[in-house]
Amino acid sequence: MLPALVGWVAAPESTVGWFSAVSLGSAIWFLGHGQSIGAGGVAVSMTPLLLLGVFVLITYRWARRLAATERLRVGSSDWSRVALRGVVPGFLVGYGLVAAVLALFTLGGPATPGVAAVIGSLLVPLAALGFVLVRPDDDEAPAFVRSWFRRGPTWLPAVWRVGWRGAGLLLAVGFAVVVLRLAMSWSAVADIQAQYDANLAGALVIGVGQLAILGNAATWALAFVAGPGFQVAVGSAIAPAAAHPGLLPLVPVLGALPRSSDYPPLMYAVLLVPVAVGAWLGHRVDAELEFFGNTRARLTATAVAALIAAGVVVALTALGNGAVGLDRLSSVGPALLPFGLALVAEVVAGALLLLGVLLLLERRRERAAQAGVTTAGSSDEGAPTAG
């Protein structure tokens, strides 16, 4: 609510009351929780992923504090029961009550969330509780969580951890591409920003709003790197083959998008980036686990780690996709199915390719060692014995 109030105070031409600003801030709160809002017949369903990340981080800190306090209070023996029957449902109900109060603030305001927004906003506390409790190799995790993972293969806890790290690496690649494009196109971005002619407070609010969608831009960059590309407006396309952004809204950060042009076939070399991330995942699985010659388990564990990494990124992309208006702005982001299939194929291929190289090198070392043993044995048989 605070940025909305700051924007209202800083806009001398505003003719609405302060409650409209509070109501708008509450609606943006729901938008940052993955819910759609409607304003004047326009539906906005594109979740600002960085704003969602801020909410998850804040909620995670409070959930972690609650879990630590309750675990000390009840002891490790009763912690699993209390976590399952008390902490998890209590935290969700408490968060839902806060969401219900904020939903009341949106009544009569310029923007209102959907009917199921209160229930849908529980996505954030669920994610926070997951980060706190779903730690398969942590002794402080509840026993029921550890038992879930024990039902699977012995390598699952380590692969779970490696897969999430791989998702973080993929998102870091997307952010790196976004930062690079912003640095290369900063003059165009600044020119569009200057057209707003906003005062300092207004410029800060506009800047914060654009910062919130940089997480979405990171998923767009990953869709470009993976091959299928993305669209910012219906009918536009930005992919390794060509860039045709078309007519875009006057948003400064969109000035970093490439101009309309066709790219040479060499641009498809960017597809090697997710393959390299997959190879890193295969290396991490090989470094953290010992399979004692079980090649099938090794293959499965490597593939599962790659699937977890790609699956997390695709799920975030699905949350970040959506509408920011009508007509051409009714669908913003990558086409989910082609992007998901391409990213999964490339990351899994990179992981399995590295595993294949490692297996080949190990077989060669084994053959060399066996050949050395055979040669040594033959030399011993032919050597003269002492009289």
Side-chain angles (χ1 to χ4, degrees), residues 49 167 170-171 219 222 226 306-321 334-345 347:
L49 291 182
L170 284 171
L171 292 174
T219 64
L222 279 176
L307 287 172
I308 291 173
V312 170
V313 172
V314 172
L316 280 176
T317 304
L319 273 175
N321 280 4
L336 205 58
L337 183 59
F339 171 54
L341 292 177
L343 187 66
V344 167
V347 175

Side-chain angles (χ1 to χ4, degrees), residues 74-270:
V74 302
S76 57
S77 59
D78 290 335
W79 165 232
S80 181
R81 177 183 58 82
V82 171
L84 182 61
R85 300 180 183 179
V87 171
V88 172
F91 196 76
L92 293 177
V93 169
Y95 207 95
L97 292 175
V98 173
V101 172
L102 290 174
L104 294 177
F105 280 111
T106 65
L107 298 179
T112 54
V115 177
V118 173
I119 301 298
S121 65
L122 297 183
L123 167 70
V124 167
L126 278 172
L129 287 169
F131 284 123
V132 172
L133 300 179
V134 184
R135 297 174 177 268
D137 50 1
D138 191 344
D139 293 337
E140 295 185 359
F144 68 87
V145 172
R146 297 198 299 271
S147 66
W148 291 343
F149 283 89
R150 286 170 184 165
R151 294 172 186 171
T154 55
W155 46 257
L156 186 57
V159 165
W160 174 263
R161 183 174 61 252
V162 171
W164 277 90
R165 290 177 181 172
L169 181 58
L170 284 171
L171 292 174
V173 169
F175 274 110
V177 174
V178 171
V179 171
L180 179 63
R181 282 301 308 173
L182 285 173
M184 295 172 59
S185 312
W186 186 251
S187 59
V189 174
D191 290 342
I192 299 175
Q193 178 73 32
Q195 296 183 40
Y196 279 87
D197 195 21
N199 56 26
L200 179 60
L204 286 175
V205 172
I206 295 170
V208 169
Q210 295 178 91
L211 183 65
I213 65 171
L214 287 186
N216 305 65
T219 64
W220 303 349
L222 279 176
F224 179 89
V225 169
F230 62 97
Q231 64 178 16
V232 179
V234 174
S236 67
I238 300 175
H244 300 290
L247 185 64
L248 298 174
L250 197 66
V251 179
V253 72
L254 296 183
L257 292 174
R259 296 181 179 181
S260 184
S261 62
D262 294 330
Y263 297 132
L266 185 62
M267 182 62 75
Y268 279 98
V270 297

Side-chain angles (χ1 to χ4, degrees), residues 34-69:
Q35 307 307 301
S36 61
I37 61 174
V42 176
V44 179
S45 58
M46 188 181 78
T47 302
L49 291 182
L50 277 188
L51 183 59
L52 174 67
V54 169
F55 287 138
V56 171
L57 176 62
I58 294 172
T59 311
Y60 162 77
R61 290 175 62 88
W62 284 97
R64 185 180 62 179
R65 181 179 299 181
L66 173 64
T69 303

